[in-house]
Amino acid sequence: MRILGVDYGTKRVGLAYADELLVAMPLPAAVQATDEERVAHLLKFVKERRVQELVVGLPYNMDGTIGFKAKEAQAFAEKLRQLTGLPVHLSDETLTSYAAEQSISKKDRRDVRASGVVDSRAAAVILQEYLDEKWPPLPLNPDALPKE
């Protein structure tokens, strides 16, 4: 299993990758000037890493409703589905960019914003949350494991 996580934005598209180890790792973000170039950057990773599924973050409003940005992400997910022929899942991305920013020192945040580092870290958070929900970690307590 190879999955690409996507944090969609109109200027930057954050990307992350996970395989059978179920650990999401940020990839270089798509920060090209046009939407077509950003999509081509993303499709390059789909091909190179032989991605089998995609997870696109869905930015719900804080009250849980779907707003303009979420509709843009849904349209982008549908575009990816059509271009790749792969399953594309939508996953709640509430506060993922905030969590990603917190992993960067305050003095460096402005400098790395345009590079897409925050966006790709947010994509990794989105993807990791999806993976953890779909394949929860095994309990560490050996007594909690099924007996044979």
Side-chain angles (χ1 to χ4, degrees), residues 65-79:
T65 60
I66 292 183
F68 179 74
K69 288 292 185 189
K71 289 178 183 175
E72 283 184 338
Q74 288 173 323
F76 189 72
E78 182 56 33
K79 181 178 186 175

Side-chain angles (χ1 to χ4, degrees), residues 3 5 16-18 21-25 55 91 96 121-137:
I3 304 177
Y17 175 79
L21 294 177
L22 303 177
V23 176
M25 299 298 296
V55 176
S91 185
T96 57
R121 286 188 184 185
V125 172
I126 293 164
L127 181 54
Q128 192 64 57
E129 288 177 355
Y130 173 82
L131 295 169
D132 291 347
E133 184 177 310
K134 192 166 181 178
W135 294 282

Side-chain angles (χ1 to χ4, degrees), residues 4 12 100 108 110 123:
L4 187 70
R12 295 175 300 278
D108 294 332
R110 174 173 270 163

Side-chain angles (χ1 to χ4, degrees), residues 4 18 21 23 31-32 35 41 48 61 70 116 132 141:
L4 187 70
L21 294 177
V23 176
V31 295
Q32 291 77 8
D35 187 50
H41 179 85
E48 285 176 355
N61 292 327
D132 291 347
N141 179 354

Side-chain angles (χ1 to χ4, degrees), residues 5 7 12 14 28 40 44-45 49 59 64 77 88 99 107 116 118 122 124 134 136:
D7 180 32
R12 295 175 300 278
K44 177 185 83 162
F45 284 114
R49 298 196 180 227
V88 179
K107 70 178 182 74
V118 172
K134 192 166 181 178

